[in-house]
Amino acid sequence: MDKPHQAMPDIEVLPSYFPIPGMGFLPVNAFVIKAREPVLVDTGMGIESDEFMNALESIIDPQDLRWIWLTHDDADHTGSIQKVLEAAPSARLAANSLAVLRMSTAWPVPMHRVYWLNSGDSISVGDRKLTAVRPPLFDNPTTIGIYDNKSEAFFSADFLGAITPARTQNADNITEGGLAQGMISWASADSPWVHRVTPGEFNQSLDRIRQIAPKMVFSAHLPPARGNTEQLLKLIATVPTSTPFVTPNQTALEQLLAQGRDGN
Ligand SMILES: [Fe+2]
Ligand SMILES: [Fe+2]
């Protein structure tokens, strides 16, 4: 993981990166919203759980957390969920009901601590309202992003993610071409169903985000993006007609393994 950093006065980023051979890095972010009732958004990757807990503790005493919001139950968002629940006994777990039921097949989710949310539902966290928003692209039926009405930020879950050429704290540091290529590849790989959607229908779903007009986008898979929501939406609007992403096959795996053996 990289060092946590403050992206807005009351929003901290816990950034990590998953290397994608031959392509770059997939950012994997969790966030802390320092609301009157502090909120952790997602819990990182399990493979670096110790690091994640240290990073979290460097930002906030987990005992002070009042909410843990899971955008969905994929492994890159739930890596430290059990540890966080243990370290944060006053926190409730806000998630879609299906996410909770699916996680319950793997570990005993404490149901008395759970708060079930559908898209459009809100919770008050003292100084602001957090509203669940289903993003236009998602790879998991339990996905709920967040609109924070105080910071006017949109936490978009997997939506607007990108495979980035380098590790950076700010989406502005990525060239326009690099961002376009990385974002379209990610969207096509993560939500392959988008190629079955007409561009017009897809644009309508993007209009819902245009109406919200967030000042800041916090994707789980993009460095924080300030003030360029329209540019990001324009880029992503081209995904339905882009060339579908083809996942690497066995030949590619054998090449990777051979490169590893050769030390290249
Ligand atoms: Fe996901
Ligand atoms: Fe993800």
Side-chain angles (χ1 to χ4, degrees):
M1 284 189 72
D2 281 5
K3 214 167 134 27
H5 62 95
Q6 191 179 44
M8 292 183 96
D10 48 3
I11 297 176
E12 305 268 353
V13 186
L14 288 91
S16 188
Y17 297 87
F18 190 76
I20 310 285
M23 293 186 76
F25 298 90
L26 179 69
V28 180
N29 303 313
F31 306 94
V32 172
I33 306 172
K34 289 191 163 168
R36 195 170 306 144
E37 297 180 16
V39 185
L40 171 66
V41 181
D42 289 338
T43 67
M45 296 182 278
I47 196 159
E48 54 187 18
S49 191
D50 290 343
E51 266 188 271
F52 182 87
M53 293 306 292
N54 289 338
L56 177 63
E57 283 161 16
S58 74
I59 290 173
I60 191 168
D61 181 345
Q63 303 249 9
D64 293 337
L65 284 174
R66 291 295 175 273
W67 295 92
I68 303 156
W69 183 305
L70 286 183
T71 61
H72 56 306
D73 66 331
D74 283 355
D76 53 326
H77 301 253
T78 58
S80 293
I81 183 64
Q82 292 184 75
K83 280 189 188 169
V84 175
L85 278 168
E86 211 172 288
S90 304
R92 293 187 76 175
L93 174 60
N96 180 255
S97 55
L98 205 54
V100 173
L101 295 179
R102 285 157 50 120
M103 287 190 296
S104 298
T105 65
W107 57 279
V109 181
M111 295 302 286
H112 61 285
R113 294 179 62 184
V114 163
Y115 195 102
W116 279 351
L117 290 161
N118 284 330
S119 185
D121 293 342
S122 298
I123 56 172
S124 167
V125 294
D127 59 346
R128 68 193 73 201
K129 190 168 82 165
L130 302 182
T131 302
V133 176
R134 163 61 64 96
L137 291 177
F138 51 86
D139 65 353
N140 173 318
T142 74
T143 302
I144 42 172
I146 306 171
Y147 179 66
D148 168 356
N149 73 341
K150 186 170 180 199
S151 67
E152 298 179 65
F154 175 41
F155 296 81
S156 63
D158 285 3
F159 178 53
L160 298 177
I163 298 165
T164 60
R167 303 157 79 116
T168 173
Q169 285 192 357
N170 188 329
D172 284 347
N173 297 335
I174 307 169
T175 62
E176 208 179 318
L179 186 64
Q181 196 184 355
M183 187 168 280
I184 288 167
S185 301
W186 167 252
S188 176
D190 195 52
S191 306
W193 51 265
V194 70
H195 296 292
R196 298 182 179 184
V197 179
T198 66
E201 284 168 339
F202 187 56
N203 234 320
Q204 277 176 14
S205 70
L206 298 180
D207 282 343
R208 294 205 315 271
I209 308 302
R210 290 190 177 101
Q211 282 158 13
I212 296 171
K215 286 190 175 151
M216 189 94 187
V217 170
F218 290 111
S219 170
H221 302 305
L222 186 74
R226 183 187 302 273
N228 62 349
T229 307
E230 186 48 43
Q231 184 209 346
L232 298 179
L233 294 177
K234 252 191 190 152
L235 268 179
I236 208 78
T238 64
V239 174
T241 52
S242 68
T243 307
F245 184 87
V246 178
T247 45
N249 62 7
Q250 178 61 17
T251 309
L253 175 59
E254 284 168 13
Q255 281 168 1
L256 277 173
L257 294 173
Q259 278 169 15
R261 273 197 301 273
D262 297 344
N264 294 327

